Amino acid sequence: MADKRSQRKASVVQFLSRLDVDRLKNSASLVERAKSLTLDGFDMTLWDNAEWIITGGRLLKLTGKNVSKVTLNFHYALPLDKGELKSEWADLIKALMVLRFHRDNQSAPNQRNFIAAVSYVVCEMESRGLRLFQLTPEVLDLACNKLTKDYSDGVVYNMHKVIGEFAAHCDANQLCNVLLDYKFSGMKRPQNTGGVGQKRLDDKETLLTENDKLIDPIVFKIIGELYLNVPVDHKYRFYVLVLSLMAMLGRRFSEIATLPNQEVSRDDQGRAFLKYFPRKASQGDVFTPMRKLYLPTETVPIVEPIINELNHLCSAARKTATEMQMNMGPDVFFLVDYPDDKRFYKDDLEKIGISATTLDTNGWINKNGFAFTDEEKLTLLGKAWKRPSKFTTKCGIIAYCNRDFNPKSIEPVQIDQYGQKYYLKDLLLVRYLGLSSGSYAHWVSTQLTHSMFSTFLRYFPQLAAEYTSSAIEVDFTSHHFRHTLNTLLDEGGLSDLLQTEWFGRSNPRDTKAYQHTSREKKALMLRADIKAGLVGGRISEQVKKLPIDLKDAFLAARIHAVHDVGPGICIHHFSQTPCERHLQCSADCNDYVWVRGDEGRKEELKREYAVTFVARETVEERAKSKKPGKSLDWLVHNDKKLDVLAKQLSDYQIEPFDPVIYLEGRIHE
């Protein structure tokens, strides 16, 4: 079955405010527009360089790593083996890269992907001696076909999308003689990104939920044993706690890493929650409304002590972060009791937590001129002189500590909806910076990064073998917990609307991508619920009247599909015929059912009932006018909806309410 997302064309904005008939002038204007922009971290004076080093700004923050720079190379893709991009093509790609980043803030990997994909178009054009204004869909097809041969299905799918975006930019800014209106006909989403498969409902495997993005239950068992068995003072105890949070909360890694420092709170109804920033990787430059993450009841006795333990584990590093914020530099408070002329020898450095090797020949302090020879400690051993001792001063130690300090660490991490800034010192998960020697810089703190977590996962099998009853190889990522928990909640009957809200998503359609329960299994689950009398709707009433020996046959014939439609569920089989009553689900439709007592649908049901009630009053007024039009038809339609929705309200045991007052309350929330 074709995926309609593969048929969508890229939607872009026009970068030029004024277009010329001359395509070459438009290209030149595009480049000049990009050069005139001022972007944090971008040095436009180095425009002609084939390698750009970005030293600040949002592009650097989106990496998810503690890095001081990001490199963008304007070269042909590696499989093409052609070196640097040159002339007008290099200028064009640089301009589009800068303008699209200025508009949408894409990450560094996205920008590199853009450069690599467009380089295939450039290669095809140069081989034919063509210029940009002579670009045609045929050349784009050749570039896409070449990409297909050079990359895997998952990578090539994204690069085909980039070619479509590039063509859309050309159209929007009138860079070519012909309107490209391009979408590669061979573009296809790979199966592992949501391909559609089919199973028979009587297949034994239908009841199994399997997907590469779901975590094996044995992993949850091992995490539980690690939480119980790994000692509190173990160097990986911190990561075990973070892993436990991921397993129970289903948050994105960036949401876990930026949890504010807190304890588990409770609202006026006694429901436990945590405060968090529901957002993909971001930092500081954008407002991120803080929200409440309500905890599933069974997880509260586990999450609460985990939060308290993390608070204690990170308290020292958080204190260092506070000093960094005050001093605008590393925390060197540990030197305050030493006089300025104090000489620090190797033993002294070890006592204050600094490696003695920094005084060696290749050590940082020695190589940077902060190590001095102590001539007074020369001694005679037989006929040989003992090598003179070396020492450093407070000035040298402070310089060494500044080496590890990154100014980005004292910038805001998040800004909430009230404009309050949250810095590193305000986060729950704060760590001392790890050094290449394996030790930690107790004078510099940092937040948890994805690279730190990925490094820990390399040691996860070894940790499991030592502290648990099972051996395991790591075949999961932090994001797989989100997929797994979403699927479990879906199979447990939580509505799509409540799933969307709980996972902090803005679009209910995105929730579908995280549900890996097969359509066939959902259909079988619904059949069982109908037989058990847990479902309301016309089909449920029909099943009640049937003889027991015919119920299974009737349900097998009627239910082949399950679709969430907001306040209820639709069982229409769209692969057979399209629905003739699209958007009229609750208007007394035979295929419309609902699960009684589904808490997640109550608010949506009340909202739809209130909207329909107000709509009926409006139509009733119109019907009394001199130009009623088709008001009578709408009255009949709304009456049907109100009757069905009223039955649902009754099944859900929702107390009678005033629809008008309810809607006014929603508007002012």
Side-chain angles (χ1 to χ4, degrees):
M1 184 181 295
D3 189 324
K4 290 185 178 179
R5 283 174 289 188
S6 296
Q7 308 305 318
R8 294 187 302 210
K9 290 185 176 150
S11 176
V12 301
V13 295
Q14 178 181 312
F15 293 130
L16 298 178
S17 56
R18 186 174 183 180
L19 298 173
D20 199 286
V21 175
D22 189 335
R23 273 34 180 176
L24 292 177
K25 286 185 178 180
N26 289 337
S27 299
S29 298
L30 196 73
V31 174
E32 291 305 315
R33 176 71 182 274
K35 288 182 176 180
S36 67
L37 292 176
T38 302
L39 299 177
D40 190 12
F42 287 74
D43 187 353
M44 295 303 181
T45 62
L46 304 177
W47 179 273
D48 294 329
N49 290 9
E51 180 180 90
W52 285 9
I53 298 177
I54 314 302
T55 57
R58 186 164 173 76
L59 186 67
L60 188 65
K61 295 173 183 176
L62 286 170
T63 60
K65 302 176 182 178
N66 282 321
V67 294
S68 58
K69 64 181 180 180
V70 168
T71 303
L72 294 176
N73 291 305
F74 294 93
H75 292 72
Y76 290 88
L78 288 176
L80 297 175
D81 194 24
K82 293 189 64 174
E84 298 177 10
L85 289 159
K86 298 179 180 178
S87 65
E88 65 173 356
W89 292 109
D91 284 340
L92 174 70
I93 292 177
K94 291 174 183 177
L96 288 176
M97 188 279 294
V98 168
L99 290 167
R100 69 198 292 268
F101 176 73
H102 178 255
R103 177 74 63 173
D104 294 318
N105 290 314
Q106 294 91 346
S107 64
N110 181 288
Q111 299 292 1
R112 295 188 184 106
N113 197 45
F114 179 83
I115 296 168
V118 178
S119 72
Y120 274 79
V121 179
V122 176
C123 185
E124 295 295 335
M125 292 291 283
E126 287 184 332
S127 67
R128 289 160 178 76
L130 302 176
R131 300 187 65 184
L132 174 61
F133 65 86
Q134 297 171 303
L135 181 63
T136 63
E138 290 74 20
V139 175
L140 295 174
D141 277 340
L142 292 171
C144 287
N145 285 324
K146 175 66 174 168
L147 275 167
T148 304
K149 298 176 182 177
D150 289 348
Y151 292 93
S152 64
D153 290 346
V155 175
V156 82
Y157 170 69
N158 289 320
M159 298 187 87
H160 284 162
K161 287 197 295 185
V162 169
I163 298 293
E165 181 193 344
F166 171 71
H169 285 308
C170 291
D171 287 342
N173 298 284
Q174 293 186 16
L175 304 180
C176 305
N177 288 337
V178 299
L179 181 67
L180 299 172
D181 191 26
Y182 184 75
K183 186 80 172 184
F184 181 49
S185 59
M187 180 175 171
K188 181 181 179 182
R189 298 184 88 243
Q191 290 296 319
N192 60 4
T193 59
V196 180
Q198 298 253 353
K199 290 182 182 177
R200 289 177 57 87
L201 291 183
D202 56 359
D203 189 335
K204 293 181 180 180
E205 294 185 359
T206 299
L207 292 176
L208 300 177
T209 301
E210 296 180 344
N211 191 282
D212 291 341
K213 296 178 181 178
L214 298 182
I215 294 179
D216 194 298
I218 189 64
V219 175
F220 289 94
K221 177 177 180 290
I222 289 175
I223 293 173
E225 290 186 24
L226 289 175
Y227 173 66
L228 294 173
N229 299 334
V230 173
V232 174
D233 57 351
H234 195 282
K235 64 177 180 179
Y236 290 138
R237 178 66 181 178
F238 169 82
Y239 292 102
V240 170
L241 296 175
V242 172
L243 202 56
S244 302
L245 278 184
M246 290 179 176
M248 287 180 288
L249 301 184
R251 298 300 101 179
R252 302 179 181 96
F253 178 84
S254 57
E255 294 170 345
I256 293 289
T258 58
L259 280 172
N261 183 29
Q262 62 189 302
E263 295 179 350
V264 173
S265 304
R266 285 172 172 78
D267 63 11
D268 53 5
Q269 298 180 37
R271 296 177 299 182
F273 67 87
L274 291 172
K275 295 178 181 178
Y276 81 112
F277 296 100
R279 192 177 183 85
K280 294 183 180 179
S282 67
Q283 196 157 351
D285 346 34
V286 291
F287 291 99
T288 309
M290 183 184 285
R291 289 179 56 178
K292 294 179 180 178
L293 168 61
Y294 283 96
L295 305 177
T297 305
E298 298 298 324
T299 68
V300 175
I302 304 174
V303 172
E304 196 159 19
I306 287 177
I307 294 295
N308 293 337
E309 188 175 346
L310 283 170
N311 198 326
H312 175 72
L313 274 177
C314 300
S315 59
R318 195 178 300 112
K319 183 179 178 181
T320 294
T322 302
E323 292 293 329
M324 289 165 54
Q325 194 74 38
M326 293 174 58
N327 302 331
M328 307 292 285
D331 176 17
V332 292
F333 188 75
F334 63 95
L335 294 174
V336 70
D337 293 330
Y338 295 99
D340 292 341
D341 59 352
K342 163 72 176 175
R343 293 183 176 187
F344 291 87
Y345 298 93
K346 287 189 174 184
D347 290 344
D348 298 318
L349 291 179
E350 294 286 359
K351 290 177 182 178
I352 60 175
I354 295 178
S355 173
T357 59
T358 57
L359 284 176
D360 292 341
T361 303
N362 293 320
W364 189 92
I365 290 179
N366 186 63
K367 289 175 66 176
N368 286 272
F370 294 103
F372 308 97
T373 300
D374 191 345
E375 301 292 346
E376 298 175 5
K377 289 197 174 185
L378 289 174
T379 57
L380 181 64
L381 298 176
K383 295 183 179 180
W385 287 93
K386 183 179 179 182
R387 191 172 183 178
S389 300
K390 284 196 173 184
F391 67 90
T392 188
T393 62
K394 280 180 67 173
C395 181
I397 294 175
I398 292 173
Y400 176 74
C401 293
N402 269 290
R403 177 201 69 160
D404 302 313
F405 175 72
N406 187 342
K408 189 179 73 169
S409 62
I410 58 174
E411 295 177 0
V413 177
Q414 298 282 16
I415 305 175
D416 69 13
Q417 63 267 45
Y418 306 110
Q420 181 177 345
K421 296 179 179 179
Y422 289 79
Y423 297 91
L424 180 62
K425 65 183 180 63
D426 303 311
L427 300 186
L428 175 67
L429 305 180
V430 184
R431 302 284 290 160
Y432 283 129
L433 181 68
L435 301 176
S436 57
S437 62
S439 59
Y440 289 91
H442 62 81
W443 49 90
V444 172
S445 293
T446 182
Q447 69 180 96
L448 175 66
T449 65
H450 198 277
S451 59
M452 290 181 189
F453 185 75
S454 299
T455 300
F456 159 70
L457 288 182
R458 294 206 298 264
Y459 301 100
F460 184 78
Q462 178 183 341
L463 197 65
E466 184 177 355
Y467 289 101
T468 73
S469 57
S470 305
I472 190 173
E473 293 296 327
V474 175
D475 59 350
F476 63 89
T477 67
S478 61
H479 207 62
H480 286 171
F481 289 104
R482 192 168 174 84
H483 283 269
T484 304
L485 192 54
N486 210 148
T487 301
L488 291 173
L489 291 175
D490 184 44
E491 292 190 355
L494 195 68
S495 71
D496 285 9
L497 288 170
L498 197 56
Q499 289 177 48
T500 301
E501 180 182 354
W502 193 75
F503 282 101
R505 302 189 183 102
S506 58
N507 192 336
R509 287 178 294 180
D510 294 340
T511 297
K512 294 292 185 184
Y514 287 81
Q515 297 171 350
H516 301 292
T517 306
S518 68
R519 295 158 300 152
E520 295 82 8
K521 183 175 181 179
K522 285 186 177 182
L524 292 177
M525 290 166 62
L526 183 60
R527 288 181 188 179
D529 287 343
I530 292 176
K531 285 181 64 178
L534 303 176
V535 175
R538 184 172 292 184
I539 188 173
S540 178
E541 298 301 321
Q542 293 171 343
V543 170
K544 288 180 182 178
K545 300 174 183 178
L546 291 173
I548 294 178
D549 56 342
L550 293 180
K551 287 184 178 181
D552 286 335
F554 175 79
L555 291 172
R558 285 288 280 115
I559 300 178
H560 297 274
V562 177
H563 316 285
D564 194 306
V565 291
I569 300 169
C570 171
I571 60 170
H572 184 80
H573 197 2
F574 287 97
S575 65
Q576 300 295 326
T577 59
C579 180
E580 297 178 354
R581 304 190 61 180
H582 179 53
L583 299 181
Q584 300 181 41
C585 299
S586 53
D588 203 23
C589 175
N590 289 334
D591 293 334
Y592 180 71
V593 297
W594 59 87
V595 178
R596 293 189 175 95
D598 188 342
E599 293 290 331
R601 299 186 191 274
K602 284 187 175 181
E603 282 303 313
E604 176 63 16
L605 176 59
K606 291 173 69 174
R607 185 196 67 80
E608 185 155 338
Y609 181 86
V611 169
T612 306
F613 181 87
V614 173
R616 190 196 183 284
E617 287 189 337
T618 304
V619 172
E620 193 171 22
E621 290 297 320
R622 180 67 182 272
K624 296 176 182 178
S625 68
K626 295 181 180 179
K627 296 181 179 180
K630 295 186 177 182
S631 302
L632 294 177
D633 294 337
W634 276 109
L635 274 175
V636 174
H637 171 76
N638 285 323
D639 284 340
K640 288 180 179 179
K641 287 192 69 173
L642 288 171
D643 286 344
V644 173
L645 293 171
K647 292 178 183 177
Q648 274 190 264
L649 290 171
S650 176
D651 279 350
Y652 285 17
Q653 298 181 348
I654 296 176
E655 296 293 329
F657 64 97
D658 188 316
V660 176
I661 296 177
Y662 174 80
L663 283 180
E664 288 177 351
R666 289 289 294 265
I667 291 172
H668 292 99
E669 281 182 356

